Amino acid sequence: MKPLNEVTFVAGQISADDLSDAALAQVKLVVNHRTPHEEPGQPDSAEMTEITARAGMRYVEIPVAGLPDRTAVERTLAAIDSLAPGERILLFCRSGMRSTAAWAMAERLRGAAPDDLRAAALKAGYDLSRLPL
């Protein structure tokens, strides 16, 4: 789990064990950017809903295949905007790259500077230099 900003974390595929760290970080919403059945053995939406609920978190599935489209970006922004003060969000996909791209594109809609978004992503280990922001 890597921070992108003060309220947003990103990760590769998560498990129930990962949610204890997320809970300590005050994560209240988990967003899955993986497509269903993307990889054998990945938890499905029902499993993730149950796992996150047991940890006291909400769960949203926003499937992204390749570059996030406008709908996925807008839904990601809506998820971020749904947080109450003091709450945090965890975005995940297989490696964290699609989630980081969706986050950056969502924050760009809000008016964030592309260079700032790229720098935050790079600090978390994700190179968005080729992402059109």
Side-chain angles (χ1 to χ4, degrees), residues 64-129:
V64 173
L67 189 65
D69 64 15
R70 180 79 179 195
T71 300
V73 171
E74 289 173 349
R75 289 187 63 208
T76 300
L77 183 59
I80 294 167
D81 287 345
S82 76
L83 298 173
E87 291 183 339
R88 293 185 171 150
I89 188 170
L90 172 59
L91 311 172
F92 80 92
C93 58
R94 188 186 62 76
S95 69
M97 187 63 175
R98 281 174 285 174
S99 291
T100 302
W103 164 80
M105 294 169 82
E107 291 296 331
R108 184 69 185 116
L109 286 179
R110 194 192 312 273
D115 289 343
D116 293 343
L117 296 168
R118 287 188 179 99
L122 192 57
K123 187 175 179 182
Y126 299 98
D127 181 0
L128 299 183
S129 61

Short mmCIF file of all heavy atoms in Angstrom, two decimals, residues 64-129:
data_model
loop_
_atom_site.label_atom_id
_atom_site.label_comp_id
_atom_site.label_asym_id
_atom_site.label_seq_id
_atom_site.Cartn_x
_atom_site.Cartn_y
_atom_site.Cartn_z
N VAL A 64 -11.26 -1.66 -15.18
CA VAL A 64 -10.46 -0.94 -16.17
C VAL A 64 -9.62 -1.96 -16.92
O VAL A 64 -8.89 -2.73 -16.31
CB VAL A 64 -9.55 0.12 -15.51
CG1 VAL A 64 -8.60 0.73 -16.52
CG2 VAL A 64 -10.36 1.20 -14.81
N ALA A 65 -9.72 -1.94 -18.23
CA ALA A 65 -8.87 -2.77 -19.09
C ALA A 65 -8.03 -1.81 -19.92
O ALA A 65 -8.56 -1.07 -20.75
CB ALA A 65 -9.70 -3.68 -19.98
N GLY A 66 -6.75 -1.75 -19.68
CA GLY A 66 -5.89 -0.81 -20.39
C GLY A 66 -5.98 0.58 -19.77
O GLY A 66 -6.10 0.73 -18.56
N LEU A 67 -5.98 1.59 -20.61
CA LEU A 67 -6.07 2.96 -20.16
C LEU A 67 -7.49 3.24 -19.64
O LEU A 67 -8.47 2.90 -20.31
CB LEU A 67 -5.75 3.91 -21.32
CG LEU A 67 -5.57 5.38 -21.00
CD1 LEU A 67 -4.36 5.59 -20.10
CD2 LEU A 67 -5.42 6.17 -22.29
N PRO A 68 -7.61 3.85 -18.45
CA PRO A 68 -8.96 4.15 -17.94
C PRO A 68 -9.74 5.05 -18.89
O PRO A 68 -9.21 6.04 -19.39
CB PRO A 68 -8.69 4.87 -16.62
CG PRO A 68 -7.30 4.46 -16.23
CD PRO A 68 -6.56 4.26 -17.52
N ASP A 69 -11.00 4.68 -19.14
CA ASP A 69 -11.84 5.53 -20.00
C ASP A 69 -12.52 6.61 -19.15
O ASP A 69 -12.38 6.64 -17.92
CB ASP A 69 -12.86 4.69 -20.77
CG ASP A 69 -13.88 3.97 -19.90
OD1 ASP A 69 -14.03 4.30 -18.69
OD2 ASP A 69 -14.55 3.06 -20.42
N ARG A 70 -13.22 7.49 -19.80
CA ARG A 70 -13.84 8.63 -19.12
C ARG A 70 -14.78 8.18 -18.00
O ARG A 70 -14.79 8.75 -16.91
CB ARG A 70 -14.60 9.49 -20.14
CG ARG A 70 -15.29 10.70 -19.58
CD ARG A 70 -14.34 11.81 -19.36
NE ARG A 70 -15.03 12.98 -18.84
CZ ARG A 70 -14.48 14.17 -18.82
NH1 ARG A 70 -13.27 14.37 -19.28
NH2 ARG A 70 -15.14 15.19 -18.34
N THR A 71 -15.56 7.13 -18.24
CA THR A 71 -16.49 6.64 -17.22
C THR A 71 -15.74 6.15 -15.99
O THR A 71 -16.11 6.47 -14.85
CB THR A 71 -17.38 5.51 -17.79
OG1 THR A 71 -18.12 6.05 -18.90
CG2 THR A 71 -18.33 4.97 -16.76
N ALA A 72 -14.68 5.38 -16.20
CA ALA A 72 -13.90 4.87 -15.06
C ALA A 72 -13.26 6.02 -14.29
O ALA A 72 -13.22 5.99 -13.05
CB ALA A 72 -12.84 3.89 -15.56
N VAL A 73 -12.77 7.01 -15.01
CA VAL A 73 -12.15 8.16 -14.35
C VAL A 73 -13.18 8.93 -13.53
O VAL A 73 -12.94 9.29 -12.37
CB VAL A 73 -11.46 9.07 -15.40
CG1 VAL A 73 -11.00 10.38 -14.78
CG2 VAL A 73 -10.29 8.34 -16.04
N GLU A 74 -14.34 9.18 -14.11
CA GLU A 74 -15.39 9.90 -13.39
C GLU A 74 -15.89 9.12 -12.19
O GLU A 74 -16.15 9.70 -11.13
CB GLU A 74 -16.54 10.24 -14.35
CG GLU A 74 -16.17 11.31 -15.35
CD GLU A 74 -17.22 11.55 -16.41
OE1 GLU A 74 -18.19 10.75 -16.54
OE2 GLU A 74 -17.08 12.56 -17.14
N ARG A 75 -16.02 7.80 -12.32
CA ARG A 75 -16.43 6.97 -11.19
C ARG A 75 -15.36 6.95 -10.09
O ARG A 75 -15.69 6.94 -8.90
CB ARG A 75 -16.76 5.56 -11.64
CG ARG A 75 -18.06 5.49 -12.45
CD ARG A 75 -18.48 4.08 -12.76
NE ARG A 75 -18.77 3.36 -11.51
CZ ARG A 75 -18.65 2.05 -11.37
NH1 ARG A 75 -18.27 1.29 -12.38
NH2 ARG A 75 -18.93 1.47 -10.22
N THR A 76 -14.10 6.96 -10.49
CA THR A 76 -13.01 7.02 -9.51
C THR A 76 -13.05 8.35 -8.77
O THR A 76 -12.93 8.38 -7.53
CB THR A 76 -11.64 6.82 -10.20
OG1 THR A 76 -11.63 5.53 -10.83
CG2 THR A 76 -10.50 6.91 -9.21
N LEU A 77 -13.26 9.43 -9.48
CA LEU A 77 -13.37 10.75 -8.85
C LEU A 77 -14.57 10.78 -7.89
O LEU A 77 -14.46 11.29 -6.77
CB LEU A 77 -13.50 11.84 -9.90
CG LEU A 77 -13.57 13.28 -9.38
CD1 LEU A 77 -12.33 13.63 -8.56
CD2 LEU A 77 -13.74 14.25 -10.53
N ALA A 78 -15.70 10.21 -8.30
CA ALA A 78 -16.88 10.18 -7.43
C ALA A 78 -16.58 9.37 -6.16
O ALA A 78 -17.03 9.73 -5.06
CB ALA A 78 -18.07 9.58 -8.18
N ALA A 79 -15.84 8.28 -6.29
CA ALA A 79 -15.48 7.47 -5.12
C ALA A 79 -14.62 8.29 -4.16
O ALA A 79 -14.86 8.30 -2.95
CB ALA A 79 -14.76 6.19 -5.56
N ILE A 80 -13.62 8.98 -4.71
CA ILE A 80 -12.76 9.82 -3.87
C ILE A 80 -13.59 10.90 -3.19
O ILE A 80 -13.44 11.15 -1.99
CB ILE A 80 -11.62 10.43 -4.71
CG1 ILE A 80 -10.68 9.33 -5.22
CG2 ILE A 80 -10.85 11.48 -3.90
CD1 ILE A 80 -9.71 9.79 -6.30
N ASP A 81 -14.48 11.52 -3.94
CA ASP A 81 -15.31 12.60 -3.40
C ASP A 81 -16.34 12.12 -2.39
O ASP A 81 -16.89 12.92 -1.64
CB ASP A 81 -16.01 13.35 -4.53
CG ASP A 81 -15.05 14.24 -5.32
OD1 ASP A 81 -13.92 14.50 -4.83
OD2 ASP A 81 -15.42 14.67 -6.43
N SER A 82 -16.60 10.81 -2.34
CA SER A 82 -17.59 10.29 -1.40
C SER A 82 -17.03 10.14 0.01
O SER A 82 -17.77 9.87 0.96
CB SER A 82 -18.11 8.92 -1.87
OG SER A 82 -17.14 7.89 -1.64
N LEU A 83 -15.72 10.32 0.17
CA LEU A 83 -15.10 10.16 1.48
C LEU A 83 -15.52 11.26 2.44
O LEU A 83 -15.61 12.43 2.06
CB LEU A 83 -13.57 10.19 1.35
CG LEU A 83 -12.94 9.10 0.51
CD1 LEU A 83 -11.45 9.37 0.33
CD2 LEU A 83 -13.15 7.73 1.13
N ALA A 84 -15.76 10.87 3.67
CA ALA A 84 -16.03 11.85 4.72
C ALA A 84 -14.68 12.39 5.22
O ALA A 84 -13.64 11.75 5.01
CB ALA A 84 -16.79 11.18 5.87
N PRO A 85 -14.68 13.54 5.86
CA PRO A 85 -13.42 14.07 6.39
C PRO A 85 -12.73 13.03 7.29
O PRO A 85 -13.36 12.37 8.10
CB PRO A 85 -13.86 15.29 7.21
CG PRO A 85 -15.14 15.72 6.56
CD PRO A 85 -15.82 14.44 6.12
N GLY A 86 -11.43 12.87 7.08
CA GLY A 86 -10.65 11.92 7.86
C GLY A 86 -10.59 10.52 7.29
O GLY A 86 -9.79 9.70 7.73
N GLU A 87 -11.46 10.23 6.31
CA GLU A 87 -11.44 8.90 5.68
C GLU A 87 -10.41 8.87 4.55
O GLU A 87 -10.09 9.90 3.96
CB GLU A 87 -12.82 8.55 5.11
CG GLU A 87 -13.86 8.31 6.15
CD GLU A 87 -15.19 7.89 5.55
OE1 GLU A 87 -15.45 8.13 4.35
OE2 GLU A 87 -15.99 7.31 6.31
N ARG A 88 -9.95 7.65 4.26
CA ARG A 88 -9.00 7.46 3.17
C ARG A 88 -9.51 6.36 2.25
O ARG A 88 -10.40 5.60 2.60
CB ARG A 88 -7.64 7.11 3.72
CG ARG A 88 -7.04 8.29 4.48
CD ARG A 88 -5.66 8.03 4.92
NE ARG A 88 -5.08 9.26 5.45
CZ ARG A 88 -4.17 9.26 6.38
NH1 ARG A 88 -3.72 8.15 6.89
NH2 ARG A 88 -3.69 10.41 6.81
N ILE A 89 -8.90 6.30 1.08
CA ILE A 89 -9.31 5.36 0.03
C ILE A 89 -8.11 4.53 -0.41
O ILE A 89 -6.98 5.04 -0.46
CB ILE A 89 -9.94 6.13 -1.15
CG1 ILE A 89 -10.57 5.20 -2.18
CG2 ILE A 89 -8.93 7.07 -1.80
CD1 ILE A 89 -11.41 5.94 -3.22
N LEU A 90 -8.35 3.28 -0.73
CA LEU A 90 -7.34 2.39 -1.28
C LEU A 90 -7.81 1.94 -2.66
O LEU A 90 -8.88 1.35 -2.79
CB LEU A 90 -7.13 1.17 -0.38
CG LEU A 90 -6.24 0.04 -0.93
CD1 LEU A 90 -4.84 0.54 -1.25
CD2 LEU A 90 -6.20 -1.12 0.05
N LEU A 91 -7.02 2.25 -3.68
CA LEU A 91 -7.30 1.84 -5.05
C LEU A 91 -6.37 0.67 -5.38
O LEU A 91 -5.19 0.72 -5.05
CB LEU A 91 -7.00 2.99 -6.02
CG LEU A 91 -7.58 4.37 -5.70
CD1 LEU A 91 -7.03 5.40 -6.66
CD2 LEU A 91 -9.09 4.33 -5.73
N PHE A 92 -6.91 -0.37 -6.03
CA PHE A 92 -6.03 -1.47 -6.40
C PHE A 92 -6.39 -2.07 -7.74
O PHE A 92 -7.51 -1.95 -8.22
CB PHE A 92 -5.99 -2.56 -5.30
CG PHE A 92 -7.17 -3.50 -5.31
CD1 PHE A 92 -7.11 -4.70 -6.01
CD2 PHE A 92 -8.32 -3.22 -4.61
CE1 PHE A 92 -8.18 -5.58 -6.02
CE2 PHE A 92 -9.39 -4.08 -4.60
CZ PHE A 92 -9.33 -5.27 -5.32
N CYS A 93 -5.41 -2.70 -8.35
CA CYS A 93 -5.56 -3.50 -9.56
C CYS A 93 -4.48 -4.59 -9.47
O CYS A 93 -4.02 -4.88 -8.37
CB CYS A 93 -5.43 -2.64 -10.82
SG CYS A 93 -3.88 -1.75 -10.98
N ARG A 94 -4.08 -5.17 -10.56
CA ARG A 94 -3.08 -6.24 -10.47
C ARG A 94 -1.74 -5.72 -9.95
O ARG A 94 -1.15 -6.30 -9.05
CB ARG A 94 -2.88 -6.93 -11.82
CG ARG A 94 -1.99 -8.16 -11.72
CD ARG A 94 -1.67 -8.78 -13.07
NE ARG A 94 -0.93 -7.89 -13.94
CZ ARG A 94 0.38 -7.61 -13.82
NH1 ARG A 94 1.08 -8.15 -12.87
NH2 ARG A 94 0.95 -6.79 -14.65
N SER A 95 -1.27 -4.61 -10.51
CA SER A 95 0.03 -4.08 -10.11
C SER A 95 -0.06 -2.72 -9.42
O SER A 95 0.90 -2.27 -8.81
CB SER A 95 0.93 -3.92 -11.33
OG SER A 95 0.44 -2.89 -12.17
N GLY A 96 -1.18 -2.04 -9.55
CA GLY A 96 -1.36 -0.69 -9.04
C GLY A 96 -1.27 0.37 -10.13
O GLY A 96 -1.63 1.52 -9.91
N MET A 97 -0.81 0.00 -11.31
CA MET A 97 -0.61 0.98 -12.39
C MET A 97 -1.92 1.56 -12.92
O MET A 97 -2.05 2.78 -13.08
CB MET A 97 0.19 0.34 -13.53
CG MET A 97 0.58 1.31 -14.60
SD MET A 97 1.69 2.56 -13.91
CE MET A 97 2.09 3.45 -15.39
N ARG A 98 -2.90 0.70 -13.21
CA ARG A 98 -4.19 1.21 -13.70
C ARG A 98 -4.86 2.09 -12.66
O ARG A 98 -5.46 3.12 -12.99
CB ARG A 98 -5.14 0.06 -14.06
CG ARG A 98 -4.84 -0.56 -15.40
CD ARG A 98 -5.70 -1.77 -15.63
NE ARG A 98 -5.17 -2.85 -14.80
CZ ARG A 98 -5.71 -4.04 -14.64
NH1 ARG A 98 -6.84 -4.32 -15.24
NH2 ARG A 98 -5.14 -4.95 -13.91
N SER A 99 -4.75 1.67 -11.39
CA SER A 99 -5.35 2.47 -10.31
C SER A 99 -4.67 3.82 -10.20
O SER A 99 -5.33 4.85 -10.01
CB SER A 99 -5.25 1.71 -8.99
OG SER A 99 -6.10 0.60 -9.01
N THR A 100 -3.35 3.84 -10.33
CA THR A 100 -2.62 5.11 -10.28
C THR A 100 -3.00 6.00 -11.45
O THR A 100 -3.21 7.20 -11.29
CB THR A 100 -1.10 4.85 -10.25
OG1 THR A 100 -0.79 4.02 -9.12
CG2 THR A 100 -0.32 6.14 -10.17
N ALA A 101 -3.14 5.41 -12.63
CA ALA A 101 -3.55 6.18 -13.81
C ALA A 101 -4.97 6.74 -13.62
O ALA A 101 -5.22 7.91 -13.92
CB ALA A 101 -3.48 5.31 -15.06
N ALA A 102 -5.88 5.92 -13.12
CA ALA A 102 -7.26 6.38 -12.89
C ALA A 102 -7.29 7.51 -11.88
O ALA A 102 -8.01 8.51 -12.05
CB ALA A 102 -8.13 5.22 -12.43
N TRP A 103 -6.49 7.38 -10.82
CA TRP A 103 -6.40 8.44 -9.81
C TRP A 103 -5.88 9.74 -10.43
O TRP A 103 -6.46 10.81 -10.22
CB TRP A 103 -5.49 7.99 -8.66
CG TRP A 103 -5.05 9.12 -7.80
CD1 TRP A 103 -5.75 9.71 -6.80
CD2 TRP A 103 -3.80 9.82 -7.88
NE1 TRP A 103 -5.03 10.74 -6.24
CE2 TRP A 103 -3.81 10.82 -6.89
CE3 TRP A 103 -2.67 9.69 -8.69
CZ2 TRP A 103 -2.74 11.71 -6.70
CZ3 TRP A 103 -1.60 10.56 -8.50
CH2 TRP A 103 -1.65 11.55 -7.50
N ALA A 104 -4.78 9.64 -11.18
CA ALA A 104 -4.18 10.84 -11.77
C ALA A 104 -5.15 11.52 -12.74
O ALA A 104 -5.29 12.75 -12.74
CB ALA A 104 -2.87 10.48 -12.48
N MET A 105 -5.83 10.73 -13.55
CA MET A 105 -6.78 11.29 -14.51
C MET A 105 -7.97 11.92 -13.78
O MET A 105 -8.48 12.97 -14.20
CB MET A 105 -7.22 10.21 -15.49
CG MET A 105 -6.06 9.76 -16.39
SD MET A 105 -6.43 8.27 -17.33
CE MET A 105 -7.34 8.99 -18.70
N ALA A 106 -8.39 11.31 -12.68
CA ALA A 106 -9.49 11.87 -11.88
C ALA A 106 -9.06 13.20 -11.24
O ALA A 106 -9.81 14.18 -11.28
CB ALA A 106 -9.91 10.87 -10.80
N GLU A 107 -7.88 13.22 -10.67
CA GLU A 107 -7.39 14.45 -10.05
C GLU A 107 -7.15 15.54 -11.10
O GLU A 107 -7.31 16.73 -10.81
CB GLU A 107 -6.12 14.18 -9.25
CG GLU A 107 -6.34 13.34 -8.00
CD GLU A 107 -7.22 14.03 -6.96
OE1 GLU A 107 -7.23 15.28 -6.89
OE2 GLU A 107 -7.91 13.32 -6.21
N ARG A 108 -6.81 15.15 -12.30
CA ARG A 108 -6.63 16.12 -13.39
C ARG A 108 -7.96 16.78 -13.73
O ARG A 108 -8.02 17.98 -14.01
CB ARG A 108 -6.04 15.43 -14.63
CG ARG A 108 -5.73 16.36 -15.75
CD ARG A 108 -4.56 17.27 -15.42
NE ARG A 108 -4.38 18.23 -16.50
CZ ARG A 108 -4.52 19.53 -16.38
NH1 ARG A 108 -4.81 20.07 -15.21
NH2 ARG A 108 -4.37 20.33 -17.41
N LEU A 109 -9.06 16.00 -13.68
CA LEU A 109 -10.39 16.58 -13.91
C LEU A 109 -10.70 17.66 -12.87
O LEU A 109 -11.42 18.61 -13.15
CB LEU A 109 -11.48 15.50 -13.84
CG LEU A 109 -11.59 14.53 -15.00
CD1 LEU A 109 -12.71 13.53 -14.73
CD2 LEU A 109 -11.83 15.27 -16.31
N ARG A 110 -10.15 17.47 -11.69
CA ARG A 110 -10.35 18.42 -10.59
C ARG A 110 -9.44 19.65 -10.76
O ARG A 110 -9.58 20.63 -10.06
CB ARG A 110 -10.06 17.70 -9.28
CG ARG A 110 -10.52 18.40 -8.05
CD ARG A 110 -9.98 17.80 -6.77
NE ARG A 110 -10.07 16.38 -6.61
CZ ARG A 110 -11.11 15.72 -6.11
NH1 ARG A 110 -12.19 16.39 -5.74
NH2 ARG A 110 -11.08 14.42 -5.96
N GLY A 111 -8.48 19.57 -11.70
CA GLY A 111 -7.61 20.70 -11.97
C GLY A 111 -6.18 20.56 -11.46
O GLY A 111 -5.41 21.52 -11.55
N ALA A 112 -5.82 19.41 -10.93
CA ALA A 112 -4.45 19.22 -10.45
C ALA A 112 -3.46 19.31 -11.61
O ALA A 112 -3.78 18.96 -12.74
CB ALA A 112 -4.32 17.87 -9.75
N ALA A 113 -2.28 19.79 -11.31
CA ALA A 113 -1.24 19.97 -12.33
C ALA A 113 -0.65 18.62 -12.74
O ALA A 113 -0.32 17.80 -11.87
CB ALA A 113 -0.14 20.87 -11.79
N PRO A 114 -0.52 18.37 -14.04
CA PRO A 114 0.03 17.09 -14.51
C PRO A 114 1.39 16.75 -13.91
O PRO A 114 1.64 15.61 -13.54
CB PRO A 114 0.12 17.28 -16.03
CG PRO A 114 -0.92 18.30 -16.35
CD PRO A 114 -0.94 19.22 -15.17
N ASP A 115 2.29 17.73 -13.82
CA ASP A 115 3.62 17.44 -13.27
C ASP A 115 3.55 17.02 -11.81
O ASP A 115 4.31 16.14 -11.38
CB ASP A 115 4.54 18.66 -13.43
CG ASP A 115 4.95 18.89 -14.87
OD1 ASP A 115 4.81 17.97 -15.71
OD2 ASP A 115 5.42 20.01 -15.17
N ASP A 116 2.64 17.61 -11.05
CA ASP A 116 2.47 17.23 -9.64
C ASP A 116 1.94 15.80 -9.53
O ASP A 116 2.36 15.03 -8.67
CB ASP A 116 1.51 18.19 -8.92
CG ASP A 116 2.09 19.59 -8.79
OD1 ASP A 116 3.33 19.78 -8.96
OD2 ASP A 116 1.29 20.52 -8.53
N LEU A 117 1.00 15.45 -10.40
CA LEU A 117 0.43 14.11 -10.40
C LEU A 117 1.48 13.07 -10.78
O LEU A 117 1.60 12.02 -10.14
CB LEU A 117 -0.77 14.03 -11.33
CG LEU A 117 -1.95 14.92 -10.94
CD1 LEU A 117 -2.96 14.99 -12.07
CD2 LEU A 117 -2.60 14.42 -9.66
N ARG A 118 2.25 13.37 -11.79
CA ARG A 118 3.32 12.45 -12.22
C ARG A 118 4.36 12.28 -11.12
O ARG A 118 4.85 11.18 -10.89
CB ARG A 118 3.96 12.95 -13.51
CG ARG A 118 3.05 12.76 -14.72
CD ARG A 118 3.79 13.09 -16.03
NE ARG A 118 2.90 12.87 -17.14
CZ ARG A 118 2.23 13.84 -17.76
NH1 ARG A 118 2.36 15.10 -17.39
NH2 ARG A 118 1.42 13.56 -18.76
N ALA A 119 4.70 13.36 -10.43
CA ALA A 119 5.69 13.29 -9.36
C ALA A 119 5.17 12.44 -8.20
O ALA A 119 5.91 11.62 -7.64
CB ALA A 119 6.05 14.69 -8.87
N ALA A 120 3.91 12.61 -7.83
CA ALA A 120 3.32 11.81 -6.75
C ALA A 120 3.29 10.34 -7.12
O ALA A 120 3.59 9.47 -6.30
CB ALA A 120 1.92 12.32 -6.42
N ALA A 121 2.93 10.06 -8.37
CA ALA A 121 2.88 8.67 -8.83
C ALA A 121 4.28 8.05 -8.83
O ALA A 121 4.47 6.92 -8.39
CB ALA A 121 2.27 8.59 -10.23
N LEU A 122 5.27 8.81 -9.31
CA LEU A 122 6.64 8.29 -9.36
C LEU A 122 7.18 8.02 -7.96
O LEU A 122 7.86 7.02 -7.73
CB LEU A 122 7.54 9.28 -10.11
CG LEU A 122 8.91 8.77 -10.50
CD1 LEU A 122 8.81 7.50 -11.37
CD2 LEU A 122 9.67 9.85 -11.25
N LYS A 123 6.83 8.87 -7.02
CA LYS A 123 7.24 8.67 -5.62
C LYS A 123 6.68 7.35 -5.08
O LYS A 123 7.31 6.69 -4.26
CB LYS A 123 6.78 9.84 -4.77
CG LYS A 123 7.29 9.81 -3.36
CD LYS A 123 6.89 11.06 -2.61
CE LYS A 123 7.40 11.00 -1.18
NZ LYS A 123 6.99 12.18 -0.42
N ALA A 124 5.50 6.97 -5.57
CA ALA A 124 4.88 5.70 -5.15
C ALA A 124 5.37 4.52 -6.00
O ALA A 124 4.99 3.38 -5.76
CB ALA A 124 3.36 5.81 -5.24
N GLY A 125 6.20 4.80 -7.01
CA GLY A 125 6.77 3.74 -7.82
C GLY A 125 6.09 3.50 -9.16
O GLY A 125 6.32 2.48 -9.79
N TYR A 126 5.29 4.47 -9.61
CA TYR A 126 4.55 4.31 -10.87
C TYR A 126 4.92 5.45 -11.83
O TYR A 126 4.74 6.61 -11.51
CB TYR A 126 3.04 4.29 -10.61
CG TYR A 126 2.65 3.14 -9.73
CD1 TYR A 126 2.47 3.32 -8.35
CD2 TYR A 126 2.50 1.87 -10.27
CE1 TYR A 126 2.14 2.25 -7.55
CE2 TYR A 126 2.16 0.79 -9.45
CZ TYR A 126 1.99 0.99 -8.10
OH TYR A 126 1.68 -0.06 -7.28
N ASP A 127 5.41 5.10 -12.99
CA ASP A 127 5.84 6.06 -13.99
C ASP A 127 4.68 6.40 -14.92
O ASP A 127 4.26 5.57 -15.74
CB ASP A 127 7.01 5.49 -14.80
CG ASP A 127 7.54 6.44 -15.85
OD1 ASP A 127 7.02 7.57 -15.98
OD2 ASP A 127 8.49 6.05 -16.55
N LEU A 128 4.16 7.62 -14.79
CA LEU A 128 3.05 8.07 -15.63
C LEU A 128 3.52 9.04 -16.71
O LEU A 128 2.73 9.79 -17.25
CB LEU A 128 1.98 8.74 -14.77
CG LEU A 128 1.31 7.90 -13.70
CD1 LEU A 128 0.21 8.71 -13.00
CD2 LEU A 128 0.74 6.62 -14.27
N SER A 129 4.81 9.00 -17.03
CA SER A 129 5.36 9.96 -17.98
C SER A 129 4.70 9.89 -19.36
O SER A 129 4.65 10.87 -20.07
CB SER A 129 6.88 9.81 -18.11
OG SER A 129 7.21 8.51 -18.59
#
